[in-house]
Amino acid sequence: MKPEFHFADRAIKLTSSAIREILKVTEKKEIISFAGGLPSPEGFPIEIVKDAFNKVLTENGKVALQYGTTEGYTPLRQWIADEMNASGSEINIDQILIVSGSQQALDLLGKILINEGDKILVENPSYLGALQSFGLYQPKYIPVPTDDGGLIPEHIDKETASNARFLYALPNFQNPTGRTLSLERRKELVKLMANLNIPIIEDDPYGELRYKGTPQPSLLSLSKETGGTVIRLGTFSKVLAPGLRLGYVIAPVPIIRKLVQAKQASDLHTPTLTQMAVYEVIKDGFLQKHLPNVRDIYRTQVQCMLKALEKEFPAGIQWTKPEGGMFLWITLPKHIDSTKLLEKAIVRNIAFVTGKPFFIAPSPEENCTMRLSFATVPEEKIVQGISLLGQLIKENL
Ligand SMILES: Cc1ncc(COP(=O)(O)O)c(C=O)c1O
């Protein structure tokens, strides 16, 4: 007889990410997969990282292999503070907590901010990983409508939003849509949330991957003028490598203190060795030299995909034209169900992620959208894959 396990109600509500499920199918070698969300390994500075780990272990091994403080490695926190202040924020080191990837920050923030049934404002659609983290704490999602300019502040109903615990925003090259919040809307949003006394969580893993257009100020820097609270999440996953599992939170000191307590309960601290090695990599300006190369990779890939879409997709299909990041969002005519299309696509060895799981509330677009990632697919495969997908869509028009 199979043993029966008794899980907590919280665990029973846990579900696997729809994307991870699709990724299992796409492991087959012959599949051209636009489903993944992984950064391009071509951009991983392997030798530099190897030398940094070696140097830290050789010169400072006893510290690097010891427990560290929960807040994180001080020189790394100071580096982050200096970077943020150079781009218009005014923060100090006490406002920074190093985390094991920004995904951990999402979980910890859910833990310290959400009681069951609390309202939280979320872009519709939004990042699935955040929905998984917040979902554990059983909030009531209030959807914020979006269009090509990102979330729409004037569509936030003040009454519905009142007392919300926070608004979760992805201002740059949003996952899943690739859209960017315009400057006017950034200003409007920060002002509105300050007036409503609702903190903003600004999740910005892709901001440094801008390959086109003008960089926009962070919500954190804009809040200097309006007041209000912005909790900013950053990560080294997309600028160095995600396997390092290194990210950070910038927040007012009382929030950092609570996060520190929650993180202590979770993993004591982020690995000392990784923090020291990454600091060694970046301390003398490495990212300024490295990032243009990474941006070049993504620029080439996205241009290839946009060109292929122009050529292969029939009229009536829309797609976003991201200025950075790794994703592009396709909107099909309403009568084409992207879930059914995916089943047929997999038979032809093409994969993508359907739009549905990213929506937290019903939307006319939830069944006819899909996310394509161009980051890890070689150019000839992008051309081949988009051609096959275009053909399939034509057959289903
Ligand atoms: C919007 C967004 N936030 C957070 C994360 C988590 O990143 P990490 O935990 O690697 O820092 C991701 C990863 O893809 C993401 O797309």
Side-chain angles (χ1 to χ4, degrees):
M1 207 173 85
K2 271 196 186 160
E4 212 178 281
F5 298 106
H6 294 280
F7 291 108
D9 293 348
R10 194 181 314 112
I12 293 164
K13 291 200 175 75
L14 280 173
T15 52
S16 289
S17 147
I19 296 180
R20 302 233 164 261
E21 293 302 308
I22 293 172
L23 291 184
K24 282 186 206 154
V25 182
T26 62
E27 270 162 18
K28 280 199 300 180
K29 243 176 101 200
E30 56 280 18
I31 286 246
I32 300 178
S33 175
F34 303 122
L38 309 182
S40 170
E42 302 300 318
F44 298 164
I46 298 171
E47 288 304 313
I48 304 276
V49 171
K50 188 170 102 188
D51 290 349
F53 271 88
N54 266 337
K55 182 156 187 257
V56 166
L57 282 170
T58 309
E59 293 176 5
N60 221 348
K62 287 189 175 155
V63 177
L65 296 180
Q66 188 53 282
Y67 283 117
T69 60
T70 306
E71 286 81 355
Y73 182 52
T74 304
L76 180 64
R77 292 165 73 214
Q78 189 60 56
W79 182 92
I80 293 163
D82 294 345
E83 284 288 301
M84 290 311 301
N85 292 340
S87 61
S89 302
E90 270 171 20
I91 56 153
N92 63 55
I93 184 170
D94 297 333
Q95 290 171 256
I96 298 176
L97 168 67
I98 306 291
V99 284
S100 304
S102 47
Q103 189 66 36
Q104 182 180 44
L106 293 168
D107 176 53
L108 296 178
L109 285 164
K111 215 174 246 169
I112 68 158
L113 295 177
I114 305 172
N115 281 324
E116 188 179 334
D118 278 348
K119 290 193 260 184
I120 62 173
L121 300 165
V122 180
E123 294 169 9
N124 197 32
S126 186
Y127 168 52
L128 203 53
L131 303 180
Q132 268 190 308
S133 289
F134 300 151
L136 262 176
Y137 308 103
Q138 299 175 46
K140 179 172 187 295
Y141 290 118
I142 310 286
V144 178
T146 57
D147 64 14
D148 249 356
L151 68 81
I152 313 172
E154 59 265 41
H155 286 197
I156 297 174
D157 176 59
K158 294 196 179 97
E159 214 157 289
T160 319
S162 80
N163 295 325
R165 289 296 168 155
F166 57 80
L167 176 145
Y168 173 64
L170 298 145
N172 291 316
F173 330 125
Q174 198 232 29
N175 181 1
T177 61
R179 288 169 181 152
T180 295
L181 191 62
S182 67
L183 180 58
E184 296 71 41
R185 286 189 182 175
R186 282 173 197 241
K187 290 183 179 163
E188 212 178 314
L189 179 70
V190 170
K191 203 160 130 199
L192 177 66
M193 290 298 113
N195 288 342
L196 293 174
N197 202 15
I198 299 173
I200 300 174
I201 297 178
E202 175 181 35
D203 187 8
D204 188 19
Y206 303 104
E208 290 290 351
L209 297 186
R210 177 180 276 281
Y211 32 74
K212 199 174 162 216
T214 322
Q216 298 299 330
S218 65
L219 302 178
L220 177 66
S221 68
L222 290 172
S223 71
K224 238 177 21 182
E225 259 132 65
T226 52
T229 302
V230 174
I231 301 166
R232 186 178 157 85
L233 312 186
T235 178
F236 292 96
S237 288
K238 310 290 161 23
V239 296
L240 285 178
L244 295 163
R245 307 309 304 129
L246 197 61
Y248 52 90
V249 187
I250 303 171
V253 172
I255 295 180
I256 292 291
R257 283 205 197 109
K258 265 297 156 216
L259 286 171
V260 165
Q261 291 165 353
K263 183 168 164 69
Q264 262 161 18
S266 166
D267 65 352
L268 297 181
H269 65 82
T270 300
T272 320
L273 173 60
T274 310
Q275 295 185 68
M276 291 176 76
V278 166
Y279 176 67
E280 190 58 39
V281 170
I282 60 178
K283 69 179 171 105
D284 296 321
F286 171 73
L287 288 179
Q288 271 117 290
K289 288 177 277 165
H290 176 63
L291 283 173
N293 302 333
V294 181
R295 292 181 195 122
D296 282 349
I297 297 172
Y298 291 117
R299 187 185 299 107
T300 310
Q301 307 274 106
V302 78
Q303 279 171 356
C304 174
M305 186 174 273
L306 288 169
K307 213 168 123 194
L309 287 169
E310 223 32 272
K311 181 159 171 257
E312 306 288 353
F313 270 32
I317 318 287
Q318 287 157 3
W319 53 87
T320 53
K321 298 183 179 66
E323 296 193 328
M326 302 173 5
F327 305 109
L328 187 145
W329 185 246
I330 309 266
T331 308
L332 303 164
K334 299 263 178 315
H335 68 273
I336 304 185
D337 182 327
S338 58
T339 305
K340 292 198 182 115
L341 195 74
L342 176 62
E343 285 166 19
K344 295 179 189 164
I346 286 175
V347 175
R348 296 190 194 181
N349 287 332
I350 311 287
F352 55 83
V353 181
T354 59
K356 184 122 182 161
F358 300 98
F359 287 90
I360 46 141
S363 154
E365 299 192 333
E366 65 187 326
N367 292 320
C368 65
T369 41
M370 54 208 235
R371 187 191 77 174
L372 302 187
S373 168
F374 41 82
T376 50
V377 191
E379 281 182 75
E380 69 278 8
K381 293 277 179 200
I382 293 181
V383 172
Q384 198 186 337
I386 294 296
S387 166
L388 288 166
L389 201 51
Q391 183 55 39
L392 185 63
I393 293 172
K394 282 177 202 154
E395 290 167 24
N396 286 274
L397 267 182

